[in-house]
Amino acid sequence: MKKGLIEKYRKFLPVSDKTPVITLNEGDTPLIKGKVLSELTGGKVLLKFEGTNPTGSFKDRGMCMAISKALEKGAEAVMCASTGNTSASAAAYAARAGIKSIVLIPEGKIARGKLSQALIHGAQVIAIQGNFDDALRMVVEITSRYPIQLVNSINPYRIEGQKTGSFEICDEMGKAPDYHFIPVGNAGNITAYWKGYKEYYSAGIISSLPRMRGYQAEGAAPIVRGKVVPNPETVATAIRIGNPARWKEAETAARESGGKIDMVSDQEILSAYHLLGKEEGIFVEPASAASVAGLLKFNRENPGVLKDKIIVCILTGTGLKDPDRAVKESPVPESVPPTLKILEEKLGLK
Ligand code: F0G
């Protein structure tokens, strides 16, 4: 039975008997074999679908820890900047904990599903006339001046919770994958996964480590370009970030593991988005498809290298987060009168 990741991985997490555990039974997400992707690469591609978490993204792993620890410290309010998913998760877990949440979002640049979540969970939502980086800067300032707990991934408990993604992968396979593909935005998640793998390695649970390959969107690729991007742009609004908070840690993960931080174009992201939907049967949000876009790019540039390898791609959030993108990317449904004959003609049955 699912009991939430704090109970499941208690001995690897900084919690004690005094920590009030706030959980929505997050974690335990499926590792789905990518049929078409395995054929395409010649490897065994496994898709870790984080969209089945309670609020529909991987953020719940980190947020159950961050909110539990905030409550333990006696916090009455939490705050974050967000491209959407962090705010949805913070709002839900804060609601569960009975504390206030304040979220700053870049005006007009957050997907509708995410906004609806923050609103329905009762967060105080403030749209900033700027981007995520502006919002994060303001959250850091406010939380340093007032007794409000910051719950962005600068908060170490977020990383602690999110590292359990690696534990689940290794527990399920009995070993680590050879390659780990993951989208990179604020760079908290790649930091967390790498920490998780290293902890399992140190504990003797796994005997090898994966190569970490992180993917930014071309229009929002500060790490790849080696400089802050003042006006990041991408269809993958979740990773529309020009100055990632965990920049250095992401570089360390790539370097230590023999991997790389690379970038993919919006076109590559959308093409992976459609492939996942149409050929694998998995609906993700555009940012989540960056890992698969990265896999396809890597495979194109290094033919044969992935043959017989075990490859995990993290699919960070459900497609229902961004219904507008799905509709925009698809043909308008045909409209017909309620007449059988016309329907038969449309369906090519006559
Ligand atoms: N995928 C999705 C769906 C995300 O929402 C995010 C980040 C990422 C990937 C990148 O993860 O930041 O740890 O490198 N979303 C944050 C937010 C920024 O505010 O929801 P990261």
Side-chain angles (χ1 to χ4, degrees), residues 218-297:
E218 236 170 50
I223 303 178
V224 180
R225 298 184 193 282
K227 56 172 192 277
V228 170
V229 175
N231 297 305
E233 271 314 334
T234 167
V235 286
T237 54
I239 53 173
R240 186 174 166 271
I241 294 175
N243 187 13
R246 297 261 182 196
W247 184 321
K248 287 281 160 293
E249 291 91 331
E251 284 183 332
T252 303
R255 191 184 57 250
E256 285 182 352
S257 71
K260 193 178 176 185
I261 309 294
D262 200 354
M263 59 187 176
V264 281
S265 66
D266 277 6
Q267 208 188 338
E268 288 172 309
I269 289 173
L270 289 176
S271 135
Y273 172 73
H274 286 295
L275 182 150
L276 283 164
K278 293 208 177 78
E279 305 201 43
E280 299 287 7
I282 306 175
F283 185 24
V284 298
E285 66 166 287
S288 306
S291 55
V292 170
L295 168 69
L296 294 172
K297 180 180 179 185

Side-chain angles (χ1 to χ4, degrees), residues 74-283:
E76 286 170 10
V78 297
M79 186 173 188
C80 64
S82 182
T83 55
N85 282 321
T86 300
S87 61
S89 188
Y93 282 82
R96 184 86 182 173
I99 58 178
K100 181 181 165 73
S101 62
I102 308 163
V103 309
L104 302 194
I105 54 169
E107 186 167 48
K109 295 289 182 181
I110 117 164
R112 218 139 48 104
K114 305 174 188 182
L115 179 60
S116 67
Q117 290 176 288
L119 294 171
I120 214 71
H121 292 306
Q124 182 170 4
V125 180
I126 298 175
I128 300 294
Q129 293 156 14
N131 59 33
F132 170 85
D133 305 287
D134 298 318
L136 183 57
R137 211 172 339 104
M138 293 168 78
V139 168
V140 170
E141 280 292 322
I142 295 282
T143 53
S144 69
R145 288 178 199 190
Y146 302 94
I148 303 173
Q149 178 63 56
L150 174 151
V151 292
N152 278 103
S153 60
I154 308 168
N155 180 325
Y157 298 120
R158 285 277 314 278
I159 305 297
E160 291 298 317
Q162 283 169 219
K163 76 185 180 187
T164 60
S166 301
F167 297 168
E168 288 181 11
I169 292 167
C170 299
D171 287 347
E172 189 161 342
M173 298 199 308
K175 58 181 173 180
D178 297 306
Y179 286 87
H180 181 105
F181 287 80
I182 186 167
V184 173
N186 211 25
N189 214 24
I190 189 169
T191 303
Y193 269 96
W194 183 234
K195 184 169 198 285
Y197 284 125
K198 285 201 297 187
E199 285 184 14
Y200 255 29
Y201 185 80
S202 300
I205 300 169
I206 54 173
S207 55
S208 66
L209 290 165
R211 291 176 190 273
M212 302 295 289
R213 300 208 53 107
Y215 287 85
Q216 302 191 298
E218 236 170 50
I223 303 178
V224 180
R225 298 184 193 282
K227 56 172 192 277
V228 170
V229 175
N231 297 305
E233 271 314 334
T234 167
V235 286
T237 54
I239 53 173
R240 186 174 166 271
I241 294 175
N243 187 13
R246 297 261 182 196
W247 184 321
K248 287 281 160 293
E249 291 91 331
E251 284 183 332
T252 303
R255 191 184 57 250
E256 285 182 352
S257 71
K260 193 178 176 185
I261 309 294
D262 200 354
M263 59 187 176
V264 281
S265 66
D266 277 6
Q267 208 188 338
E268 288 172 309
I269 289 173
L270 289 176
S271 135
Y273 172 73
H274 286 295
L275 182 150
L276 283 164
K278 293 208 177 78
E279 305 201 43
E280 299 287 7
I282 306 175
F283 185 24

